[in-house]
Amino acid sequence: MPNNDFFNNSFLKNDPTDLFRDLGKQVFNQFSSQAFPVNLYNENDHYLIEAELAGVKKEDISLTFEQHTLTIKANKYIESHNGQTQLNERSNGELVRRFEFEDIDKSLIKATFENGILSIHLPKQQQEAEDATTISIS
C-alpha cells in the first residue's frame, strides 16, 4: 500500500471538525460588527437594557435617544503589545448598538455603569385614558 501523507496529517488523527469550528470562529470574529453583548428586558412599565462593556471607561460611553432609537456608543482602547499576535478576539475601537422603541418617555431615561455593566432604564410612556368629547353639529 502506498504511503499517502494526506491521511497521516495530525489534524485528521484528531477530530477534523475542530479545524472547521475554529475556522468558523475566526471568520465570524473577523467579519462580525464591532458590538457587545446585551440583554433587553420588557417590563410592565419600562424596558431595561444591560450591556456588557468590560474594559470600557464610563467617560468613553455615550448614549443618545433620537427618533425612537437608542444608540449606545463606546470607545474601547486596548493596550498594544510588541509581540506577535497569535489570537485577537477582543474588540478595539468604536463599539455601537442601536435599539428601536415606539413608546419611551425619553425625559425619564436613566443609566448607570458599574463593574463593566451599563444599565439603561427606559420608562414607557403612560397611555392617557382618552376622554369622550362631545361634538356639536352645526
Side-chain angles (χ1 to χ4, degrees), residues 52-57 60 75-78 90 113 115-116:
E52 188 176 308
L53 293 168
V56 175
K57 296 177 183 175
D60 293 328
N75 289 306
K76 187 174 187 180
Y77 305 102
I78 298 174
R90 297 174 63 205
F113 186 65
N115 296 325

Side-chain angles (χ1 to χ4, degrees), residues 90-108:
R90 297 174 63 205
S91 298
N92 191 29
E94 185 177 74
L95 311 172
V96 179
R97 294 291 301 265
R98 289 182 177 82
F99 303 91
E100 290 189 28
F101 300 94
E102 291 296 324
D103 56 347
I104 300 299
D105 185 345
K106 65 181 182 178
S107 67
L108 298 176

Side-chain angles (χ1 to χ4, degrees), residues 40 47 49 62-73 96-106 109 120 122 125:
L40 171 61
Y47 295 97
I49 293 179
S62 69
L63 300 173
T64 57
F65 192 86
E66 183 178 32
Q67 298 180 0
H68 305 288
T69 302
L70 173 72
T71 302
I72 305 169
K73 287 186 183 180
V96 179
R97 294 291 301 265
R98 289 182 177 82
F99 303 91
E100 290 189 28
F101 300 94
E102 291 296 324
D103 56 347
I104 300 299
D105 185 345
K106 65 181 182 178
I109 297 173
I120 308 166
L122 300 126
Q125 287 181 336

Side-chain angles (χ1 to χ4, degrees), residues 2-22:
N3 183 10
N4 191 337
D5 286 337
F6 177 77
F7 292 105
N8 291 326
N9 284 328
S10 63
F11 77 88
L12 288 176
K13 291 179 183 175
N14 299 323
D15 183 0
T17 61
D18 288 344
L19 172 74
F20 297 107
R21 187 177 306 117
D22 186 50

